[in-house]
Amino acid sequence: MSLQPHTPRAKMESRELTLRYGTKTAINKVSLAILEHRVTALIGPSGCGKSTFLRSLNRMNDLIPGTNHTGHILLDDTDINDRSVDVVDLRRRVGMVFQKSNPFPKSIFENVAYGLRVGGMKDKAELAARVEKSLRGGALWDEVKDRLNESALGLSGGQQQRLCIARAMAVEPEVLLMDEPASALDPIATAKIEELIHELKAQYTIAIVTHNMQQAARVSDRTAFFYMGELVECGATEQIFTNPREKRTEDYVTGKFG
Amino acid sequence: MTYTTRRAVGLFLTTLTGLAAFLMVGMLALILLDVIANGASHVTWTFLSQPPSDGMMGGGIFPAIVGTAALTLLMTLAVMPVGVLTAVYLHEYASPGSRLAAWVRVAVVNLAGVPSIVFGLFGLGFFILFVGRGMDRVLGYEEMHWAQPGILWASLTLAVLTLPVVIVSTEEALRAVPLDHRTASLALGATQSQTLVRVVLPGALPGILTGAVLAISRGAGEVAPILFTGAAYFLPDLPSHLNSQFMHLGYHTYVLATQSPDVEATRPLLYATVLVLLLLTFALNLVAVIIRTRTRRKAAGAH
Amino acid sequence: MDRQVVMEQGLTETLAVPRLSAAARRRQLREKVIAGIVTLVAFTGIAALVLIIVFVAKEALALFLEPEARHEASLSKMFLPQVVRQGKPPAFVWQPVSNVPKVSMIPLFIGTLKTTVVSMLVAVPVGVFGALYAAEFAPRRLRELLKPVIELLAGIPSVVLGFFALMVMATVLQDTFGLHTRLNALVAGIGLALAIVPVIFTVAEDSLTAVPRSYREASLALGATPWETAWKVVLPAAAPGILAACVLGFGRAIGETMIILMASGNAAIVSASLGDSVRSLSATIAAEMGEVVVGSPHYSILFFIGVQLFLFTFVLNMLASAWTKKVIKRLTGSAS
């Protein structure tokens, strides 16, 4: 944290965000800032609303019928639910990587190029350059450069997840949301992903949901603890893990429940 | 009950049900063997490439093969876009509680149960007498041009008949495309229609093809709907216009089997015609079964 | 809705409110148009069903509107016994083409009923038992073979089944039972059974396999043998689905045309014997539509028969789908 010369501004921010599925409240009055060029970890027991919160940051919850919300989510001071914001534009600015790697049953190249193609990019050389750049950024280039035209489904689990990260990066979003990106991976693959997250924060603002507290401690600058749909505490990761203000946070990070 | 009686009853029941299953397989085998044994030797190149001659007691079935192919081709062109888009609506666009979707489903289920002869009446009453007459009036034809049985009306009638087949298989195929792929696409900033065209439809393609093949197989074999909408008794000329009448393998079978003045003389021709028709529909069905088993296995392996 | 809330609360002054870009507006419009087209096309299925009943009924309507048709084919002439010849008792006769057309539908109903009953008597046990075998007793290998074979049987065009009934089964049955007419209700009914066995098998098998494995395991754990489990647990649990299978088969049998047209002899005889020739509703349409004058009373009667067939099968279909839903609801605990 102290390495950064000046206090970063909030890239995204929720204000009093409440989200319901039908009548069930999933998130209750959450106000949280996601700082620019920082990694923010969202932790908490399962069902606490952290994933739902993450998904509302690029309006993936729109896809679930029966959800409604009150409050605001801001991206660079613009309400992302405002009529003036097109959800497609929003998702190009706020990318997402999912818990289970979900490459398309297409070639490695086409997977990474997908977001660019749907965005209207047609120039072959430009596409190739962007795909290479993204795969390098995703620390996958050296492993796949000779088989770009082979099916992405032939990659290992860890490679698939890095492919998905590269695919999300290809559209050059400003924010990258990660929903437990390493939960299905073995320790070595997980270490690679964590290393990658470290490198990415220079360019991106990252929010990551994780159930693994060591991981949160390793990769994040700031940590937000969710419990039963509410934001209990948010602060510098070091402070949350060594000197939490709230009793519930302490109980959770020390493993008393979870 | 004692152990022995229980075992005996069990054995009896297994045998009885097994016998029922065997009976079905046996009947299929019997039909096939009979048709092959009596028909195979008459399926020659001349038979396949010549029109009927000698008052239907000689020659071949070339016009019937072409007629059937042209009919099912037109039918496929009509039914596939409508069927696939309807399934896309039901599975991709309609919200879960949609009233319209529920109504469409009810209609599809009932459409599948409408007797094929009623489709024939519908084709006559709607396409020929209503649409056809209307077109003649609008286009200024003095004598009947569209208001008569023809291959276009017959194929459209069959398209309505096979619509449920296409809708049901396409929807099954769409269901098999993992939700993950849609979510990933949308999260990358693709619109719903881009997701549909680039991810969902390619993923569902094998299932959609299965639907097409099943529809073709069904459409190629149906006779009742085309009885009054375009099938012709004897027509050595190939259909050349959309309002031409046409010969048809199924209808030809019916005619040879029931209207022949000399049953014994037409018998070989009849068996050979049936064999060709059966081979055609079986080949199509087999293709469908193979595509489907393969995709199901693949889908099972992916999870 | 969420946007409304935003509007109502009013955005705080820190929020910039940019306009929706032209590209985004175009994109949204295109998506709306596509969704509209897809929705519009989805109406085709509903439209088809409505058009079928409307246009078939439209051609039949003359029976009730035009004086000539009303005279020639009144409801009483179609459904009540009529004096055909002076001095003879009233009877049901179908002779639509004669100096005095006789248009009683009762012989046609009887013909349809006879062939349908015969086919159901054969197809229900074979189809349901076969499904029970496939779902409960058959080794996995055999089962995987059985399903495609039944699909092939279902794929045989009905004109081929009619041909087979006419050419092969008629002779065999005549020799076996010593029937005096070669083409009769028995031949047509058994031929019809070939067409509806796959329908019954497929739907019955689906509902049997829908019975959760836990039911079977519970029964087997209590010491029941596999057949007791199949007979007393699985079969009752799947009962509505099997009933639906039979109803669907019944609907198919009523409407099926080519098999009966070719194998029933097509004589409109009123009798109880299965050995007599019969003429069914569907076969009557197929046989006579080619020769009628468009717009004549006879023509309208044939369409009227079509309306009846449509309604019969419509009701049977609704029943069947209601029962299928019931079995799904019962077995999964939720409607679907």
Side-chain angles (χ1 to χ4, degrees):
Chain A
M1 241 318 281
S2 52
L3 293 174
Q4 307 284 335
H6 50 81
T7 320
R9 67 188 189 95
K11 180 72 183 173
M12 292 195 84
E13 186 182 352
S14 74
R15 291 186 184 166
E16 298 273 298
L17 181 71
T18 296
L19 196 137
R20 294 188 189 83
Y21 295 120
T23 54
K24 190 179 162 289
T25 303
I27 308 176
N28 195 11
K29 292 193 177 162
V30 170
S31 296
L32 173 66
I34 312 280
L35 301 186
E36 191 165 28
H37 295 306
R38 293 287 183 279
V39 177
T40 305
L42 312 179
I43 62 169
S46 42
C48 67
K50 57 190 192 299
S51 282
T52 307
F53 179 78
L54 192 78
R55 291 167 60 89
S56 59
L57 294 180
N58 70 343
R59 287 175 58 181
M60 290 308 280
N61 286 328
D62 287 14
L63 305 176
I64 303 166
T67 52
N68 58 74
H69 76 271
T70 58
H72 305 289
I73 302 169
L74 311 182
L75 169 64
D76 288 343
D77 296 337
T78 306
D79 190 313
I80 63 167
N81 288 298
D82 189 76
R83 196 190 308 223
S84 66
V85 175
D86 182 62
V87 68
V88 168
D89 288 334
L90 171 71
R91 287 177 186 153
R92 284 187 191 149
R93 291 177 66 192
V94 183
M96 188 159 201
V97 176
F98 297 85
Q99 178 173 8
K100 208 175 131 225
S101 63
N102 51 5
F104 301 123
K106 299 173 185 282
S107 71
I108 293 169
F109 183 92
E110 284 305 323
N111 260 281
V112 182
Y114 184 86
L116 303 170
R117 286 197 196 275
V118 298
M121 188 184 287
K122 291 203 174 69
D123 185 82
K124 279 207 178 122
E126 205 182 346
L127 275 170
R130 282 281 281 275
V131 167
E132 177 176 344
K133 187 178 162 215
S134 310
L135 282 170
R136 282 187 193 280
L140 195 60
W141 175 253
D142 292 331
E143 294 163 56
V144 301
K145 64 181 178 212
D146 299 323
R147 46 177 177 146
L148 289 177
N149 292 320
E150 288 174 28
S151 167
L153 301 178
L155 297 173
S156 72
Q159 287 174 324
Q160 286 193 7
Q161 191 60 300
R162 276 180 284 146
L163 178 73
C164 291
I165 295 175
R167 184 175 67 181
M169 283 162 41
V171 283
E172 300 186 339
E174 296 153 45
V175 181
L176 211 49
L177 309 174
M178 297 183 170
D179 190 356
E180 305 199 20
S183 68
L185 303 180
D186 61 72
I188 296 170
T190 304
K192 277 194 178 158
I193 302 269
E194 289 180 6
E195 202 177 308
L196 181 58
I197 294 172
H198 251 300
E199 288 163 16
L200 293 178
K201 74 175 174 184
Q203 263 179 296
Y204 301 92
T205 301
I206 295 175
I208 175 170
V209 162
T210 176
H211 60 243
N212 178 335
M213 273 168 288
Q214 283 78 21
Q215 186 172 64
R218 282 194 301 265
V219 302
S220 70
D221 305 302
R222 292 167 55 79
T223 297
F225 173 58
F226 282 73
Y227 186 64
M228 311 248 305
E230 291 183 13
L231 177 64
V232 175
E233 186 171 358
C234 175
T237 298
E238 210 183 86
Q239 177 248 312
I240 294 285
F241 278 91
T242 57
N243 187 21
R245 282 188 297 269
E246 292 274 338
K247 178 80 171 60
R248 280 179 296 176
T249 315
E250 188 181 345
D251 287 350
Y252 183 71
V253 298
T254 54
K256 286 202 181 127
F257 73 95
Chain B
M1 267 192 283
T2 66
Y3 177 72
T4 345
T5 36
R6 281 172 68 180
R7 266 200 60 168
V9 175
L11 195 68
F12 171 74
L13 210 65
T14 316
T15 318
L16 187 71
T17 55
L19 220 59
F22 176 77
L23 194 63
M24 292 187 274
V25 181
M27 283 312 283
L28 179 71
L30 208 62
I31 296 172
L32 288 185
L33 286 178
D34 179 58
V35 173
I36 292 171
N38 291 295
S41 59
H42 300 280
V43 181
T44 58
W45 178 243
T46 329
F47 180 73
L48 294 175
S49 64
Q50 296 295 319
S53 56
D54 310 323
M56 308 276 262
M57 285 195 269
I61 52 168
F62 182 64
I65 293 175
V66 174
T68 309
L71 178 75
T72 41
L73 180 70
L74 283 175
M75 174 204 84
T76 312
L77 290 179
V79 74
M80 285 313 288
V82 176
V84 170
L85 281 184
T86 305
V88 162
Y89 169 76
L90 289 175
H91 198 260
E92 307 290 321
Y93 279 84
S95 55
S98 162
R99 276 281 176 80
L100 176 60
W103 278 103
V104 172
R105 280 177 211 284
V106 170
V108 169
V109 167
N110 280 294
L111 204 56
V114 172
S116 51
I117 189 73
V118 175
F119 279 101
L121 293 178
F122 164 68
L124 176 61
F126 178 68
F127 287 123
I128 297 176
L129 297 178
F130 181 74
V131 180
R133 259 187 206 162
M135 282 169 69
D136 281 354
R137 202 169 307 135
V138 171
L139 302 173
Y141 286 106
E142 289 298 320
E143 73 272 30
M144 284 196 299
H145 186 79
W146 291 110
Q148 60 177 345
I151 194 163
L152 178 65
W153 302 139
S155 60
L156 289 181
T157 306
L158 285 178
V160 181
L161 181 135
T162 49
L163 188 59
V165 180
V166 177
I167 295 175
V168 169
S169 1
T170 305
E171 214 191 333
E172 190 188 340
L174 294 174
R175 220 174 284 137
V177 176
L179 191 65
D180 280 1
H181 293 168
R182 297 179 180 84
T183 331
S185 169
L186 293 170
L188 288 166
T191 63
Q192 192 177 12
S193 69
Q194 285 173 326
T195 304
L196 181 71
V197 173
R198 290 168 185 261
V199 176
V200 179
L201 287 182
L205 193 63
I208 295 174
L209 286 182
T210 311
V213 173
L214 285 178
I216 293 172
S217 148
R218 174 88 197 274
E222 281 288 348
V223 177
I226 59 168
L227 283 175
F228 348 113
T229 51
Y233 192 81
F234 173 65
L235 204 67
D237 297 331
L238 302 180
S240 55
H241 295 88
L242 284 177
N243 63 347
S244 308
Q245 292 205 326
F246 56 94
M247 287 187 75
H248 182 269
L249 284 171
Y251 186 60
H252 196 61
T253 303
Y254 165 65
V255 169
L256 287 182
T258 57
Q259 331 254 309
S260 170
D262 184 350
V263 179
E264 284 311 310
T266 45
R267 195 184 178 89
L269 290 176
L270 175 56
Y271 265 101
T273 309
V274 171
L275 182 59
V276 172
L277 178 58
L278 261 188
L279 283 178
L280 185 79
T281 47
F282 272 19
L284 288 167
N285 269 300
L286 215 58
V287 170
V289 169
I290 288 169
I291 302 178
R292 197 160 44 187
T293 340
R294 222 191 244 172
T295 11
R296 275 192 190 150
R297 199 164 293 158
K298 220 160 129 196
H303 289 292
Chain C
M1 170 164 173
D2 41 25
R3 278 165 210 155
Q4 247 171 9
V5 174
V6 172
M7 303 287 284
E8 275 160 22
Q9 292 183 340
L11 296 177
T12 51
E13 61 277 42
T14 57
L15 305 186
V17 185
R19 298 278 305 279
L20 195 59
S21 72
R25 221 175 312 146
R26 260 202 311 279
R27 191 164 55 218
Q28 286 183 359
L29 182 69
R30 198 179 58 211
E31 288 301 309
K32 269 194 194 130
V33 169
I34 292 172
I37 291 173
V38 169
T39 311
L40 209 63
V41 172
F43 274 103
T44 313
I46 299 176
L49 198 66
V50 172
L51 287 177
I52 288 174
I53 186 61
V54 165
F55 276 87
V56 175
K58 179 175 161 263
E59 302 295 320
L61 212 59
L63 280 186
F64 302 94
L65 298 181
E66 286 173 17
E68 189 207 348
R70 272 169 72 173
H71 173 73
E72 192 176 315
S74 62
L75 281 178
S76 62
K77 282 189 177 160
M78 286 193 275
F79 294 104
L80 296 177
Q82 300 291 314
V83 177
V84 177
R85 225 177 298 157
Q86 290 297 319
K88 290 272 176 96
F92 301 107
V93 179
W94 174 260
Q95 265 174 17
V97 187
S98 68
N99 289 337
V100 186
K102 300 164 198 71
V103 294
S104 173
M105 296 225 167
I106 304 301
L108 311 182
F109 278 119
I110 290 175
T112 302
L113 197 68
K114 276 203 231 174
T115 50
T116 306
V117 166
V118 170
S119 73
M120 292 300 281
L121 285 177
V122 177
V124 168
V126 173
V128 174
F129 281 172
L132 200 60
Y133 181 74
E136 299 296 318
F137 302 123
R140 229 187 101 217
R141 275 284 180 76
L142 200 60
R143 182 180 162 182
E144 278 180 6
L145 188 77
L146 207 53
K147 291 192 75 171
V149 166
I150 305 297
E151 273 177 53
L152 280 189
L153 189 61
I156 298 182
S158 61
V159 69
V160 173
L161 295 177
F163 148 85
F164 185 71
L166 169 74
M167 301 293 285
V168 181
M169 282 170 32
T171 314
V172 173
L173 287 171
Q174 191 176 26
D175 294 348
T176 316
F177 295 104
L179 305 169
H180 57 91
T181 37
R182 195 167 164 276
L183 300 180
N184 50 53
L186 191 65
V187 177
I190 294 178
L192 201 50
L194 290 175
I196 60 174
V197 157
V199 178
I200 296 179
F201 173 90
T202 310
V203 180
E205 211 258 352
D206 278 352
S207 57
L208 284 171
T209 42
V211 175
R213 187 197 289 270
S214 57
Y215 280 39
R216 295 184 179 88
E217 282 166 356
S219 167
L220 292 171
L222 289 171
T225 59
W227 74 263
E228 282 170 330
T229 305
W231 195 253
K232 293 181 183 161
V233 177
V234 179
L235 204 58
I242 288 172
L243 201 60
C246 297
V247 170
L248 275 181
F250 190 63
R252 260 303 286 284
I254 289 180
E256 177 51 57
T257 308
M258 296 313 291
I259 297 171
I260 307 188
L261 181 64
M262 293 167 82
S264 69
N266 288 322
I269 297 170
V270 178
S271 81
S273 164
L274 294 178
D276 286 333
S277 287
V278 290
R279 190 179 191 87
S280 78
L281 292 165
S282 56
T284 303
I285 302 176
E288 296 175 17
M289 186 55 83
E291 272 106 50
V292 296
V293 178
V294 173
S296 68
H298 185 191
Y299 169 89
S300 296
I301 292 173
L302 295 181
F303 273 92
F304 182 57
I305 296 176
V307 172
Q308 295 174 51
L309 283 176
F310 181 93
L311 293 179
F312 290 151
T313 49
F314 187 84
V315 170
L316 290 173
N317 259 303
M318 295 303 269
L319 278 180
S321 59
W323 279 322
T324 319
K325 271 199 195 115
K326 206 165 158 188
V327 75
I328 291 170
K329 202 171 172 181
R330 189 198 284 183
L331 294 179
T332 61
S334 69
S336 105

